[in-house]
C-alpha cells in the first residue's frame, strides 16, 4: 500500500515538473541578436565652382588672378594679332586647341604670351606663319600638328625651354626652326613627317645641336 502511494506521489511530481518545464524558457530557441548597422559618416563632395567664361569679339577667355588665358578663337579674321592685355591683365596663355581647325593664315603672338597649349593650332591647314615675341617659354604637345603650309618658325628672341611631343608633326612644308640655347627639352616625334629639308638652327654645343644629331636632322649653327 505504501509503495502504491509512493508511486502516485512520484507520478504527480513528474507531472508537476513537466508543467514547470513547459512554461520555462530554458529550452526555447533564443532570439537572434541584431547588431545595429552604423552608417559611415561621409563628408559631402563639394560641387566645384564653375569658372566664368568671358568674351571679346574674337576670343573666349578665362580671367585668372594675374593673367588672361585665351581659350577659343571665335573671330573671322585670317590675320590675327593677339591682344596684349584684356581687362588690365596680361594675356599670357593660349589654351589647348584655342585655334585648332580654324582657317587663320597668320597669327602674331602677343608680347606677354609665355605658353602655347596642347594642339593649340592643330589642323590649321592655312596657317603659314607665326610671329613670336620675346616671352614665349613653352610650346605644348602637338601644338602645330598638321599645319601643312607652315614653312618655318623662329624662336630666336624667345626664352623658349620646351617643345612638346609631336609639336610640329605632320607639318609637311616645315623646313626650318631657329632656337636658342635656352631650349632644354624637345619631345618625342616633335618633327615627325616634316619636310626632309628641315634644318634646326641652334647655338653650337647646345641641346638643339645634340637633338638634331641624334635624330638625323640637318643642323646649322646660329
Amino acid at each position: 500500500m505504501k509503495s502504491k502511494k509512493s508511486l502516485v506521489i512520484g507520478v504527480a511530481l513528474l507531472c508537476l515538473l513537466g508543467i514547470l518545464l513547459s512554461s520555462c524558457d530554458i529550452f526555447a530557441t533564443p532570439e537572434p541578436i541584431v547588431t545595429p548597422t552604423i552608417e559611415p559618416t561621409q563628408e559631402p563632395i563639394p560641387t566645384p565652382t564653375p569658372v566664368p567664361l568671358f568674351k571679346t569679339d574674337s576670343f573666349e577667355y578665362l580671367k585668372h588672378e594675374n593673367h588672361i588665358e585665351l581659350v577659343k578663337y571665335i573671330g573671322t579674321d585670317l590675320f590675327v594679332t593677339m591682344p596684349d592685355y584684356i581687362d588690365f591683365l596680361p594675356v599670357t596663355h593660349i589654351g589647348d586647341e584655342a585655334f585648332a581647325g580654324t582657317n587663320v593664315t597668320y597669327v602674331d603672338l602677343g608680347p606677354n604670351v609665355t605658353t602655347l597649349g596642347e594642339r593649340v593650332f592643330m589642323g590649321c591647314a592655312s596657317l603659314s606663319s607665326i610671329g613670336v615675341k620675346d616671352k614665349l617659354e613653352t610650346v605644348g604637345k602637338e601644338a602645330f600638328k598638321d599645319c601643312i603650309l607652315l614653312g618655318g618658325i623662329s624662336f630666336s628672341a624667345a626664352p623658349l625651354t620646351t617643345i612638346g611631343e609631336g609639336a610640329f608633326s605632320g607639318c609637311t612644308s616645315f623646313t626650318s626652326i631657329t632656337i636658342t640655347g635656352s631650349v632644354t627639352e624637345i619631345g618625342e616625334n616633335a618633327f615627325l613627317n616634316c619636310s626632309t629639308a628641315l634644318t634646326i638652327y641652334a647655338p653650337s654645343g647646345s641641346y638643339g645641336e645634340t637633338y638634331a644629331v641624334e635624330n638625323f636632322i640637318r643642323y646649322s649653327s646660329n
Side-chain angles (χ1 to χ4, degrees):
M1 188 69 171
K2 183 177 182 180
S3 61
K4 187 176 180 179
K5 185 177 180 181
S6 298
L7 179 61
V8 172
I9 293 172
V11 171
L13 290 173
L14 287 173
C15 291
L16 179 61
L17 180 61
I19 293 171
L20 291 173
L21 289 175
S22 66
S23 62
C24 184
D25 290 336
I26 60 174
F27 294 106
T29 303
E31 292 292 329
I33 299 174
V34 179
T35 303
T37 302
I38 300 175
E39 295 293 335
T41 302
Q42 293 183 347
E43 293 292 331
I45 300 174
T47 303
T49 303
V51 179
L53 193 65
F54 300 91
K55 289 184 180 182
T56 68
D57 290 340
S58 298
F59 295 99
E60 292 179 349
Y61 66 93
L62 295 174
K63 187 186 298 186
H64 298 277
E65 182 178 357
N66 57 5
H67 70 277
I68 295 294
E69 176 185 355
L70 302 182
V71 297
K72 187 176 182 180
Y73 178 63
I74 56 175
T76 57
D77 293 336
L78 301 182
F79 287 70
V80 180
T81 299
M82 300 284 186
D84 299 355
Y85 294 86
I86 296 178
D87 297 337
F88 304 104
L89 293 172
V91 177
T92 61
H93 289 60
I94 313 301
D96 296 351
E97 302 180 14
F99 284 84
T102 62
N103 294 321
V104 294
T105 59
Y106 171 78
V107 175
D108 185 15
L109 301 181
N112 297 313
V113 173
T114 63
T115 305
L116 296 181
E118 296 183 0
R119 300 174 298 278
V120 61
F121 293 104
M122 184 176 72
C124 290
S126 299
L127 182 66
S128 60
S129 185
I130 291 283
V132 179
K133 299 299 191 296
D134 60 359
K135 289 187 179 179
L136 186 65
E137 299 174 358
T138 302
V139 174
K141 177 181 178 181
E142 298 178 339
F144 294 93
K145 183 179 180 180
D146 296 332
C147 292
I148 57 176
L149 292 185
L150 186 64
I153 195 167
S154 174
F155 298 107
S156 59
L160 188 70
T161 61
T162 304
I163 297 175
E165 177 183 343
F168 296 93
S169 60
C171 295
T172 52
S173 300
F174 199 66
T175 59
S176 71
I177 180 170
T178 301
I179 58 177
T180 68
S182 61
V183 174
T184 57
E185 180 182 353
I186 299 177
E188 186 177 358
N189 296 325
F191 305 103
L192 181 67
N193 295 328
C194 286
S195 169
T196 56
L198 173 63
T199 301
I200 293 178
Y201 295 90
S204 178
S206 67
Y207 174 79
E209 179 184 10
T210 301
Y211 179 89
V213 171
E214 290 180 349
N215 290 273
F216 308 101
I217 299 173
R218 294 182 185 181
Y219 164 76
S220 180
S221 173
N222 61 359

